[in-house]
Amino acid sequence: TQLLEQSPQFLSIQEGENLTVYCNSSSVFSSLQWYRQEPGEGPVLLVTVVTGGEVKKLKRLTFQFGDARKDSSLHITAAQPGDTGLYLCAGVGSSNTGKLIFGQGTTLQVKP
Amino acid sequence: NAGVTQTPKFRVLKTGQSMTLLCAQDMNHEYMYWYRQDPGMGLRLIHYSVGEGTTAKGEVPDGYNVSRLKKQNFLLGLESAAPSQTSVYFCASRRDRGPNEQFFGPGTRLTVL
């Protein structure tokens, strides 16, 4: 069974601080995705990383896929209150069914 | 385009009652999924479908049944609800080719008393 361990589960920081969220597994994934979810809504895809060692940037968010394709990280620079939400990593297996294995999620609160 | 819609948004059931959750998508997507989300556990896959008339079990299928009679609709049924099925249920869909991006509905909050 493939599992994804996400840490930390909760993060409360002040506006302007930097933070990193980690997503780790003992399994290899063909790709890894990061979603953001706001209260009362479904998750929305932020990024997909496919190649081991790949780094993608989305404004102040930097996503990295581990060289062995077993782990990933999300780094936010100078966090803003608008970044508040639930961040979920999801691993894509090798089958063509598109099934996702989700981490437990990280609840981020950015205080003004 | 409405994207992925779910009905109802909220529901309260008594133990042993049955209900059906409806998911509809207007993006002509082949694949559809049902997840449940519980605090501290992320999203867990209940059942999924890779096309009209097909269904398959996911990670936590016990106590649920599904049907995909029409491509745009994916129904999730609870035959005899249990308090352990109290959760938020999300439906998602994606294309069969191209990027593996799943589009999620707004969720249904179900409470079983």
Side-chain angles (χ1 to χ4, degrees):
Chain A
T1 303
Q2 293 178 304
L3 292 173
L4 270 173
E5 295 289 333
Q6 198 171 332
S7 62
Q9 284 201 307
F10 301 98
L11 204 49
S12 182
I13 62 173
Q14 293 295 135
E15 182 176 359
E17 292 184 5
N18 302 333
L19 67 115
T20 302
V21 178
Y22 299 93
C23 187
N24 296 297
S25 176
S26 58
S27 303
V28 175
F29 291 98
S30 61
S31 61
L32 202 136
Q33 300 182 329
W34 285 91
Y35 287 80
R36 181 174 166 215
Q37 184 179 13
E38 307 224 15
E41 299 180 9
V44 175
L45 180 67
L46 293 174
V47 76
T48 301
V49 284
V50 180
T51 307
E54 182 176 5
V55 176
K56 280 192 174 178
K57 291 192 175 184
L58 194 64
K59 296 183 181 177
R60 293 175 293 99
L61 278 61
T62 302
F63 305 86
Q64 186 162 7
F65 201 12
D67 291 340
R69 307 208 320 274
K70 292 183 180 181
D71 55 87
S72 181
S73 63
L74 157 61
H75 182 78
I76 301 180
T77 303
Q80 298 178 0
D83 296 326
T84 293
L86 177 67
Y87 291 82
L88 295 153
C89 65
V92 183
S94 57
S95 78
N96 62 358
T97 61
K99 290 192 293 182
L100 298 176
I101 304 295
F102 280 89
Q104 304 98 316
T106 295
T107 299
L108 172 64
Q109 180 187 45
V110 182
K111 293 179 275 191
Chain B
N1 286 355
V4 180
T5 58
Q6 292 182 234
T7 53
K9 285 191 71 69
F10 303 94
R11 186 72 185 269
V12 178
L13 289 179
K14 294 181 180 177
T15 297
Q17 287 185 321
S18 63
M19 78 162 294
T20 300
L21 281 67
L22 171 63
C23 175
Q25 53 93 4
D26 62 2
M27 297 174 282
N28 201 35
H29 286 171
E30 285 292 334
Y31 294 0
M32 296 186 75
Y33 309 85
W34 274 108
Y35 295 90
R36 59 177 290 173
Q37 185 174 36
D38 302 293
M41 301 187 75
L43 280 83
R44 292 181 292 168
L45 182 64
I46 305 172
H47 286 279
Y48 65 99
S49 168
V50 297
E52 181 179 312
T54 75
T55 63
K57 293 180 180 180
E59 187 185 353
V60 289
D62 293 342
Y64 305 95
N65 57 75
V66 288
S67 64
R68 183 105 181 264
L69 299 179
K70 292 183 179 181
K71 185 177 182 178
Q72 63 267 35
N73 295 335
F74 196 25
L75 279 63
L76 178 70
L78 287 73
E79 289 187 349
S80 180
S84 61
Q85 294 177 304
T86 293
S87 188
V88 182
Y89 292 86
F90 287 97
C91 176
S93 71
R94 62 157 286 209
R95 296 182 298 173
D96 60 334
R97 295 192 178 105
N100 183 10
E101 178 177 1
Q102 294 191 14
F103 294 83
F104 285 82
T108 293
R109 183 173 292 275
L110 175 65
T111 301
V112 183
L113 302 174

